[in-house]
Structure formats: structure tokens, C-alpha cells
């Protein structure tokens, strides 16, 4: 019963926050290819060089991942830890933005091209580069992302980029991230991504086992209402 009530409330909320279809058509009509993490096969993923390479190849939209430093600065990074793509180690929430700026985000890149040293970008710098290159941007809000903090950061950036909602959309596997953004920025496009068992995903290859009906329905509901 509680699940049904929550679903009705959530549906009504999203309906009231829904962006006009013609506006979405204007946003999406010219998008043919979206670069994943910039252009992650041809340049170090989630870096300024990666979106520059995407633009050079003729892509007109890119996706990248939003996370936060220990001092709550918005950074562009996919994993929960630094180890795979940088010369840093440990959780991304263990370092301040100043410390993250010292990391090399291209040192483990093995693809084509020469990228001797790339930095982990700040969200503001990534948006500036996308706007300069006239790229549409899809910001992937990861499960670990703080929904209210994310929404407030985007609200602040919308003052710096008044047309932000015309070329940026947010996407996530987790509804609570999108609900929070729509609460603060109803004009922002939001996209719910789906994959099997996404709502029970708590880390790389770690899933919450479902042993009974309560866990199956209550856990996703908690995510929806989390923010």
C-alpha cells in the first residue's frame, strides 16, 4: 500500500515538473551521437581533452560523470576510487579539491593519441568547455552523488550559465537524484536510465540480495524518497 501511494505521489510530482515536449524536441533533435565520458576510447575519459576529441570527431553531445571531493566540490569522475584512471589511490571522498588537482588523470590511459598529463576537471570547467565547443551535455549523477548537494550546485551554476537548461540534461539510474534536481530546477531535462537490478546496486559489482518481498519493494522506495 505504501509503495503504491509513493508511486502515485512521485508520478504526480514528475508530471507537474515535466518539460514541454516541444522544448525537449528542440534540445534533442540535432543529437545523433553522444560521446561516452567525453570520447573515452580516443582520449582519457572524463577529461577536457576527451570532450575536445569528441568535438574534433564531429560529435555534438557528450556524457560525463559527476562526483564530489571531500570538501564538496563537484568533479568529473566515474569511479568511487581514484586507482583505475589516475595516479591517486583510495575513495574520491578522501581528497579535497586542491589535492585532486595534483592528480594525473591520463597516466593510465592506453589508447591512441598523446596525453602526457590531464587533470580531473571541475564541473564548472567542463561546462565551460562544452559551451565553447557547442556540445550538448548529459551529466550522469552517480549513485553515491549527494542529491541535494548536486541540485544546489546546478542551481548555482545556472546563474553563471542562464541558458544551462537549453543544452544540459541530467541522467541517473537512481530516481532520488533526478527528483532533487527537478525540485530545484524544474526546467532541467532529466533522464532515468534503466538496467537490471540498478536500484540495488551499491558499488562496482556489489548488489543487495533479495530474500523477501519487503526488500524487493522497500529498498527501491527508500531510494526514491531519499532526497
Amino acid at each position: 500500500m505504501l509503495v503504491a501511494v509513493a508511486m502515485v505521489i512521485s508520478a504526480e510530482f514528475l508530471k507537474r515538473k515535466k518539460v514541454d515536449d516541444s522544448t525537449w524536441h528542440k534540445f534533442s533533435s540535432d543529437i545523433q551521437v553522444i560521446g561516452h565520458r567525453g570520447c573515452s576510447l580516443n582520449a582519457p575519459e572524463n577529461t577536457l581533452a576527451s570532450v575536445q576529441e569528441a568535438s574534433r570527431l564531429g560529435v555534438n553531445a557528450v556524457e560525463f560523470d559527476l562526483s564530489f571531493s571531500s570538501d564538496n566540490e563537484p568533479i568529473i569522475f566515474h569511479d568511487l576510487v581514484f586507482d583505475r584512471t589516475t595516479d591517486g589511490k583510495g575513495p574520491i571522498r578522501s581528497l579535497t579539491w586542491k589535492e585532486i588537482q595534483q592528480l594525473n588523470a591520463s597516466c593510465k590511459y592506453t589508447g591512441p593519441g598523446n596525453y602526457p598529463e590531464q587533470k580531473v576537471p571541475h564541473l564548472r570547467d567542463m561546462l565551460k568547455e562544452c559551451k565553447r565547443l557547442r556540445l550538448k551535455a548529459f551529466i550522469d549523477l552517480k549513485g553515491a552523488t549527494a542529491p541535494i548537494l548536486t541540485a544546489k550546485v546546478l542551481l548555482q551554476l545556472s546563474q553563471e550559465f542562464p541558458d544551462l537548461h537549453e543544452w544540459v540534461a541530467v541522467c541517473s539510474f537512481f530516481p532520488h537524484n533526478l527528483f532533487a534536481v527537478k525540485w530545484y530546477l524544474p526546467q532541467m531535462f532529466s533522464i532515468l536510465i534503466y538496467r537490471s537490478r540498478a536500484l540495488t546496486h551499491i558499488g562496482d559489482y556489489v548488489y543487495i540480495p533479495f530474500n523477501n518481498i519487503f526488500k524487493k519493494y522497500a529498498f527501491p522506495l527508500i531510494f526514491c524518497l531519499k532526497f
Side-chain angles (χ1 to χ4, degrees):
M1 180 62 181
L2 289 176
V3 174
V5 171
M7 290 177 66
V8 170
I9 293 174
S10 299
E12 183 63 26
F13 170 79
L14 290 176
K15 184 172 71 173
R16 291 176 181 273
K17 301 290 183 178
K18 185 177 183 293
V19 177
D20 182 75
D21 289 341
S22 62
T23 307
W24 168 250
H25 179 73
K26 181 180 178 181
F27 174 87
S28 61
S29 60
D30 64 337
I31 298 176
Q32 296 180 333
V33 178
I34 302 174
H36 185 230
R37 302 178 197 171
C39 187
S40 57
L41 291 180
N42 293 68
E45 68 177 58
N46 280 329
T47 63
L48 296 181
S50 194
V51 299
Q52 291 162 2
E53 180 64 9
S55 177
R56 187 187 73 80
L57 292 174
V59 173
N60 61 357
V62 291
E63 174 269 352
F64 49 83
D65 304 286
L66 177 63
S67 297
F68 286 92
S69 64
S70 64
D71 51 349
N72 290 333
E73 287 294 324
I75 63 172
I76 307 307
F77 203 80
H78 176 270
D79 296 2
L80 296 176
V81 295
F82 290 111
D83 305 51
R84 181 177 63 86
T85 59
T86 78
D87 52 356
K89 292 184 179 299
I92 57 174
R93 278 292 204 166
S94 65
L95 297 183
T96 65
W97 167 235
K98 184 177 181 180
E99 293 170 328
I100 292 173
Q101 288 178 285
Q102 306 307 311
L103 301 180
N104 185 344
S106 59
C107 63
K108 297 181 180 178
Y109 171 71
T110 58
N114 182 28
Y115 302 95
E117 186 170 3
Q118 286 290 309
K119 299 299 183 183
V120 175
H122 193 281
L123 175 59
R124 176 180 288 104
D125 295 330
M126 186 64 99
L127 290 175
K128 283 182 178 179
E129 191 64 7
C130 287
K131 188 171 180 62
R132 183 183 75 82
L133 296 170
R134 297 184 179 181
L135 294 173
K136 301 283 178 65
F138 291 81
I139 306 176
D140 190 344
L141 312 180
K142 310 310 293 181
T145 302
I148 295 297
L149 178 59
T150 299
K152 289 183 176 179
V153 164
L154 290 172
L155 180 62
Q156 184 178 19
L157 285 171
S158 70
Q159 299 173 8
E160 186 173 341
F161 302 95
D163 62 344
L164 189 71
H165 63 282
E166 296 179 4
W167 53 278
V168 174
V170 293
C171 50
S172 182
F173 289 102
F174 301 95
H176 68 285
N177 289 332
L178 303 178
F179 287 171
V181 172
K182 295 295 283 186
W183 185 271
Y184 283 85
L185 287 164
Q187 72 274 30
M188 183 73 73
F189 296 114
S190 61
I191 302 167
L192 180 63
I193 315 169
Y194 173 78
R195 69 179 173 207
S196 179
R197 302 179 73 183
L199 291 178
T200 61
H201 183 75
I202 58 175
D204 288 340
Y205 310 108
V206 178
Y207 293 87
I208 295 175
F210 283 157
N211 297 323
N212 56 54
I213 199 85
F214 175 79
K215 288 182 181 179
K216 184 173 182 180
Y217 292 104
F219 194 77
L221 175 61
I222 290 169
F223 261 112
C224 291
L225 301 178
K226 187 175 177 181
F227 86 92

